[in-house]
Amino acid sequence: MNLSAFDLNLLKVLDALLREGSTVRAGQRAGLSQPAVSAALSRLRHALNDPLFVREGRGLVPTDFARTLEAPLRDALDQIEQILAGPGAFDPAEAELSFKISGADFFSELLMPPLAAHLAQVAPRIQVHLVDLLHDSYIDTIERYTVDMALIPGQPGMEWVDHRRIFRSAYTVIARKGHPAVEAAGIADRDPFPLDLYCALSHVLFSPEGKVTAGGDVALDRLGRKRHVAMTLPFFSGVYRAVSGSDLIALLPHQLALHVADRVGLTCHAPPMEVTEAQLYMVWHRRSTNAPAHRWLREQIAMLMAPLDEVPVP
């Protein structure tokens, strides 16, 4: 290819198409109309001698050749952006950017509302999208630019991943207000939950993969006890709503339990066994560590999450 005859602006359009899989959304990302994106795609196809995308339903699916361009193209554009931005050049008040964060619905309750209010004040043109955390492939989504960062329990071990601990979470037993067995045992809200009753009642478990054991079962096993898991759900919101509408009980992250207890009619109790706290981390690809906008957003998230470390454990 004769690079001097190639319009480098087309690379931004190609990147947007690879990210979005739609000429409309790519245009929104690149600040172009849909016809302008379609025209740019036609020029790209001619210049690169490849269809680049094929239509599937309402979306565009990249060809094998286009997929090979995705990561190196994003790396090159990131490097150019960092070179041109320089240290301290990022202005959140004027920035028009979009970030994708992968995390459990825990963060839709405890991060996104305060983040929305904060961004409206200091960075009104920045968009943030929370998408489901794919536990088995979140690292792949970071590596392939599908998400900008992930919020996960536990510290990753990949050399190319950077991380920052944002808070720790203990666990709380939740039951519905008026639960007959809990009331019959004379257990008030915030009282410790007795071990025998904990093992006698049926449980609902947060498990995106449908597994019926988790950290609570490890803790029970140390005491030579077991519980009965009657249901698993892939969302924390499903867990606490199932508990509020039935006689099931559950272990829920302590901060989330306190946040929703009054709203959905729950009582909260210290577990009868010692459950290992979860350490929550923000993780991202090292290519983004020094990017001013990415660094700024990480600081805002860490600031908003820091108070969760101070929530007293029952």
Side-chain angles (χ1 to χ4, degrees):
M1 174 188 289
N2 181 4
L3 189 60
S4 63
F6 183 80
D7 183 356
L8 295 179
N9 289 315
L10 295 176
L11 296 180
K12 290 187 64 176
V13 178
L14 178 57
D15 175 60
L17 285 165
L18 287 165
R19 285 175 178 262
E20 302 295 344
S22 158
T23 54
V24 174
R25 293 196 301 273
Q28 293 170 346
R29 176 180 284 274
L32 298 172
S33 66
Q34 189 272 339
V37 173
S38 294
L41 177 55
S42 178
R43 294 172 63 192
L44 281 162
R45 284 167 166 163
H46 177 74
L48 300 177
N49 195 30
D50 189 86
L52 296 177
F53 297 90
V54 294
R55 186 159 295 282
E56 186 174 288
R58 295 185 176 181
L60 295 175
V61 177
T63 64
D64 289 346
F65 173 64
R67 289 185 188 279
T68 67
L69 299 177
E70 185 173 8
L73 174 60
R74 186 67 251 157
D75 281 338
L77 291 175
D78 279 349
Q79 290 176 24
I80 292 171
E81 183 178 329
Q82 291 180 35
I83 290 169
L84 297 179
F90 175 68
D91 181 2
E94 298 298 327
E96 296 188 26
L97 297 169
S98 178
F99 291 94
K100 217 173 251 189
I101 303 171
S102 178
D105 66 323
F106 177 102
F107 296 99
S108 67
E109 296 270 4
L110 295 178
L111 170 61
M112 298 307 279
L115 182 59
H118 180 62
L119 292 179
Q121 294 296 317
V122 301
R125 296 182 182 87
I126 288 182
Q127 292 181 332
V128 177
H129 310 278
L130 181 68
V131 299
D132 283 345
L133 178 67
L134 304 176
H135 288 261
D136 294 332
S137 59
Y138 74 87
I139 286 293
D140 182 58
T141 63
I142 294 173
E143 187 176 20
R144 297 188 67 250
Y145 295 94
T146 309
V147 301
D148 297 288
M149 64 187 75
L151 305 171
I152 65 168
Q155 183 175 335
M158 291 74 175
E159 290 185 358
W160 53 269
V161 173
D162 263 349
H163 63 272
R164 175 174 180 172
R165 180 189 173 279
I166 47 177
F167 67 94
R168 53 107 178 106
S169 178
Y171 290 91
T172 292
V173 179
I174 56 170
R176 71 175 175 92
K177 289 182 178 178
H179 190 296
V182 175
E183 287 196 340
I187 303 164
D189 188 19
R190 310 303 168 93
D191 284 350
F193 212 86
L195 179 60
D196 287 342
L197 183 60
Y198 183 84
C199 294
L201 295 175
S202 293
H203 293 241
V204 55
L205 175 66
F206 168 73
S207 176
E209 306 90 352
K211 296 177 180 178
V212 295
T213 58
D217 300 281
V218 174
L220 282 174
D221 190 58
R222 289 195 291 264
L223 301 176
R225 304 294 296 270
K226 294 185 180 298
R227 63 175 174 174
H228 172 242
V229 174
M231 179 183 295
T232 69
L233 288 165
F235 304 109
F236 284 115
S237 57
V239 171
Y240 65 68
R241 291 189 184 281
V243 169
S244 72
S246 72
D247 288 338
L248 298 172
I249 63 171
L251 277 179
L252 204 67
H254 178 60
Q255 297 93 330
L256 180 60
L258 294 185
H259 183 73
V260 303
D262 290 339
R263 188 203 322 159
V264 298
L266 301 175
T267 59
C268 299
H269 312 272
M273 66 287 187
E274 187 175 341
V275 184
T276 303
E277 291 184 341
Q279 303 293 326
L280 278 296
Y281 286 83
M282 177 166 41
V283 301
W284 63 92
H285 198 294
R286 284 189 173 177
R287 64 179 169 237
S288 300
T289 295
N290 294 321
H294 198 283
R295 183 172 62 240
W296 180 85
L297 183 61
R298 297 196 307 265
E299 291 296 331
Q300 310 315 298
I301 292 173
M303 173 190 70
L304 294 171
M305 293 284 92
L308 295 184
D309 253 347
E310 308 304 321
V311 176
V313 178

